[in-house]
Amino acid sequence: MSDKLLIGPKLRRFRNSLGLTQARMAEDLGISASYLNLIERNQRAMSAKVLLKMAGVYDFDISAFSDAGDAQLVASTYEALRAPRFRDMPVSKNEVEDVVGISPNIARAFQSVLKTQGTMTTPTDDSSPRAVDIVRDFIQSNSNYFPEIDETAEALCEELGLRRSEPRTALTERLKSRHDTAVQIVPTNVMPDMLRWFDRHNQRIHLSELMSQSSRRFQLAVQIGLLEQREMFDAHLDRAKITGREARGLARTSLANYFAAALLMPYAKFLREAEATRYDVELLSHRFGTSFEQAAHRLTTLNKPDARGIPFFFLRIDIAGNVSKRFSAGKFAFASQGGACPIWNIHESFTDPGRLHTQMVQLPDGATYFSIAKAVKRAGEMHGAPAQRLAIALGCDVSYAPRLCYSKDFNLDEPTPAPIGINCYLCERQHCRQRAHPPLAKSLMFDERARGMSLYRWVPD
């Protein structure tokens, strides 16, 4: 954290959300009302000391007053402004950051207007692409943390004694005793295109024989969540005003998956083990009987205000670079369209499956991150039908790297990160050897006498 921050608009919005006058907040913080007024008008910077005291008094995440909280909104707004229609009105990323810093709702309204104007080409709220965006925004807006679901799942974990018995056995018994539902492992020729199917008429859950033990446990936990906690899930969706059949269905499934992870990896226990193992994802997956992907994703949900884990970002891509899941923590931002930067070694994990790849990377704004990546296989592999291969990336700000077991071979005092971008369309690094596309809204230059490392060169701003 820098020693001083210009956060006037954010501070004013925060004070108004609490219903406090300047005089009352100034009294709580031990400063004068006139000084607080100057801070809110950005005529004085807020010191880190005052910010820390405010965090203690009002119990909030201090990162909400850094640029980190608006990073994804800045990235998505900047991406929207790079569209061809704005070619004659170039807007810099710094200008976008200024607008978001003063009023993030203006940026959100701007994006909403663009979607409304593009009705002929923009998916409706109940279309599949739009539903995915709605659910991603819903999870991101909650920082991928749902305390009520965590608490409910942790209580059930204790009730079932999952840490003392084999989880699949305990989950199977729960389904039988509470819901009169049996579990059956089904041959692939009987259920060739599904991994789990709940036969309501016969009160039977069918699980594919192709699934691993960890996947079977997880799917049973998902089904228990849908049977027992549907009202709680829907209450979350109602509060978030998520409408439309597809959006609600996808969001409910996401919350059921969250519940399953919280049931198998209860918050307090998982956080203690994560800290004890220095966030060894593979070891955590063994201790809790889950897959690498499930353990990695669970690490992104440890955002309880008084018991936080490392703020990780998460990315999942296929071998063609398509992003199927992403969550941004801290200042790391993902583009809504396009794949990941080819310099990021998440792609290399496909060439060496099973090995965990580590890397330090740096975005054009100078933010540096430590990341790990590993290729995994989905269930379903058999002769003539290869399983889906995916790469999972987990990362955090480099300042957290000393807490990771993976950083021991890196010189953190003098880091040499790999320069990456969000993706080629939004990255403005000249002379990149891996560039696949020119950046949006840039005027290209061509010199027939020369050929650079990249085909694309453009007029600097």
Side-chain angles (χ1 to χ4, degrees):
M1 185 192 303
S2 59
D3 290 336
K4 295 183 178 181
L5 299 170
L6 290 173
I7 55 173
K10 290 183 181 181
L11 177 60
R12 182 169 57 252
R13 289 197 303 274
F14 178 70
R15 177 176 59 78
N16 289 334
S17 71
L18 298 177
L20 299 178
T21 64
Q22 284 186 339
R24 174 59 189 275
M25 176 171 274
E27 181 180 353
D28 291 343
L29 300 179
I31 59 177
S32 67
S34 60
Y35 180 51
L36 181 61
N37 181 50
L38 291 174
I39 293 176
E40 289 193 358
R41 290 158 55 194
N42 268 352
Q43 294 183 7
R44 290 289 187 277
M46 172 174 275
S47 68
K49 181 179 179 180
V50 174
L51 183 58
L52 288 170
K53 183 171 182 179
M54 187 167 73
V57 171
Y58 300 116
D59 188 24
F60 65 89
D61 180 8
I62 205 168
S63 66
F65 281 84
S66 69
D67 294 335
D70 296 329
Q72 191 63 42
L73 183 58
V74 169
S76 59
T77 304
Y78 183 60
E79 183 180 3
L81 286 166
R82 309 306 279 177
R85 75 172 82 176
F86 300 114
R87 184 180 297 276
D88 297 330
M89 298 175 287
V91 177
S92 70
K93 189 175 182 182
N94 287 339
E95 291 175 293
V96 176
E97 290 173 344
D98 289 342
V99 170
V100 171
I102 294 172
S103 180
N105 283 338
I106 288 180
R108 295 187 182 98
F110 165 72
Q111 293 189 43
S112 179
V113 168
L114 286 184
K115 292 172 183 175
T116 301
Q117 290 179 342
T119 300
M120 297 302 294
T121 57
T122 301
T124 64
D125 281 353
D126 200 33
S127 67
S128 298
R130 180 61 182 143
V132 171
D133 289 338
I134 289 172
V135 175
R136 282 177 174 170
D137 291 344
F138 166 59
I139 293 173
Q140 188 73 48
S141 66
N142 285 275
S143 299
N144 202 16
Y145 173 59
F146 299 90
E148 184 182 5
I149 298 178
D150 263 304
E151 292 166 6
T152 302
E154 193 159 8
L156 181 58
C157 178
E158 286 297 315
E159 180 183 343
L160 299 181
L162 293 189
R163 306 314 311 157
R164 300 183 298 276
S165 60
E166 203 287 316
R168 200 186 118 198
T169 301
L171 297 174
T172 300
E173 290 175 353
R174 174 73 171 196
L175 287 162
K176 186 63 178 176
S177 62
R178 179 75 176 265
H179 305 284
D180 194 25
T181 297
V183 176
Q184 182 177 2
I185 308 301
V186 180
T188 184
N189 61 305
V190 175
M191 199 167 68
D193 300 318
M194 288 183 289
L195 296 177
R196 170 176 56 88
W197 179 52
F198 179 30
D199 182 351
R200 291 182 180 275
H201 179 71
N202 294 307
Q203 291 296 98
R204 190 174 300 274
I205 297 172
H206 300 285
L207 298 178
S208 171
E209 64 178 343
L210 299 178
M211 298 172 69
S212 65
Q213 289 295 333
S214 62
S215 294
R216 291 175 185 176
R217 295 186 195 104
F218 194 85
Q219 290 302 322
L220 291 178
V222 168
Q223 191 64 69
I224 288 174
L226 290 170
L227 287 170
E228 299 185 12
Q229 303 301 333
R230 189 183 186 91
E231 290 186 5
M232 178 174 65
F233 299 157
D234 285 349
H236 279 80
L237 307 187
D238 292 341
R239 286 193 291 270
K241 299 180 180 179
I242 294 180
T243 59
R245 180 182 59 83
E246 292 198 17
R248 286 185 71 87
L250 184 58
R252 187 183 298 112
T253 299
S254 297
L255 294 182
N257 287 335
Y258 186 102
F259 176 88
L263 179 58
L264 297 173
M265 297 169 279
Y267 194 105
K269 174 72 172 177
F270 190 75
L271 177 59
R272 285 197 302 270
E273 294 298 325
E275 290 286 349
T277 62
R278 297 185 64 205
Y279 291 85
D280 186 330
V281 184
E282 292 165 309
L283 182 53
L284 288 170
S285 68
H286 290 304
R287 288 191 178 177
F288 288 86
T290 60
S291 69
F292 179 89
E293 180 181 349
Q294 290 163 2
H297 191 268
R298 181 57 168 154
L299 286 172
T300 69
T301 68
L302 303 180
N303 299 311
K304 188 177 182 180
D306 58 348
R308 294 181 185 276
I310 290 176
F312 286 105
F313 61 80
F314 178 97
L315 185 70
R316 186 180 70 196
I317 66 171
D318 65 17
I319 198 166
N322 299 305
V323 177
S324 56
K325 182 185 285 188
R326 64 173 183 259
F327 171 71
S328 177
K331 295 179 66 177
F332 198 91
F334 297 112
S336 60
Q337 303 293 331
C341 176
I343 298 175
W344 193 5
N345 71 3
I346 182 176
H347 306 280
E348 293 181 18
S349 59
F350 286 112
T351 66
D352 190 7
R355 187 170 76 86
L356 195 141
H357 297 251
T358 57
Q359 187 182 31
M360 272 194 286
V361 296
Q362 187 175 73
L363 291 174
D365 63 3
T368 304
Y369 301 90
F370 190 92
S371 76
I372 64 172
K374 184 178 181 180
V376 299
K377 280 186 179 182
R378 281 293 177 85
E381 186 165 34
M382 54 187 294
H383 179 69
Q388 183 186 28
R389 289 200 295 161
L390 300 167
I392 307 298
L394 194 68
C396 61
D397 189 277
V398 73
S399 62
Y400 295 98
R403 294 169 60 183
L404 303 178
C405 63
Y406 306 104
S407 66
K408 60 183 179 63
D409 296 328
F410 287 80
N411 183 352
L412 300 178
D413 295 326
E414 297 181 12
T416 54
I420 69 169
I422 296 176
N423 64 25
C424 287
Y425 290 113
L426 299 178
C427 178
E428 299 180 3
R429 294 186 190 273
Q430 291 269 23
H431 314 298
C432 176
R433 296 168 181 254
Q434 301 294 333
R435 180 171 290 281
H437 308 283
L440 296 173
K442 288 292 183 181
S443 298
L444 295 181
M445 300 176 5
F446 293 96
D447 186 345
E448 295 180 357
R449 302 167 300 171
R451 172 62 163 89
M453 290 294 182
S454 170
L455 173 63
Y456 306 108
R457 296 174 60 222
W458 55 89
V459 179
D461 291 333

